[in-house]
Amino acid sequence: MNTAARRIGRTLAFVLPVVLVLSGTLAVTRVPWADPRAESQFLTASADKASTRAQRLAPHEQLRDRLLAELQEKNPGVALGHLQAETNRRPSLAKHCASIARALGRAAVAKYHGSTQRAQSYSRPVCDVSYASGVLHARD
């Protein structure tokens, strides 16, 4: 009787983790946030549409990228002015204003080859002190 219980225990010790791993893997392959009208509700690594969906950026990311490009072409003051105008025009972007201003501050220091004084000279009253914070943290 003791050997039968030991054999059952060993079998369960081997089979149970395999079953749990497989069931967990199958449980997370389903994508509940996908459009129900989509072709497939399953996440596949080789899906053709995966790369095109990943390339779409959120509005605040598009704004950040556009302003960073503008900063490189012109100067940080112009980019900060456009940031203020966009947050006034689209209030939903206001919650991202600080992170965008910090990114602009870091990019300004990089543009001026580490000169925090020159980068800080373009400071505007946009998103409190986030631009200054980005300038100061760019040195780290």
Side-chain angles (χ1 to χ4, degrees), residues 29-56:
T29 59
R30 187 128 174 100
V31 184
W33 58 87
D35 185 14
R37 297 177 305 270
E39 294 173 17
S40 176
Q41 284 283 315
F42 292 96
L43 181 62
T44 60
S46 63
D48 293 335
K49 296 181 181 179
S51 62
T52 58
R53 287 184 184 161
Q55 290 175 352
R56 292 185 196 151

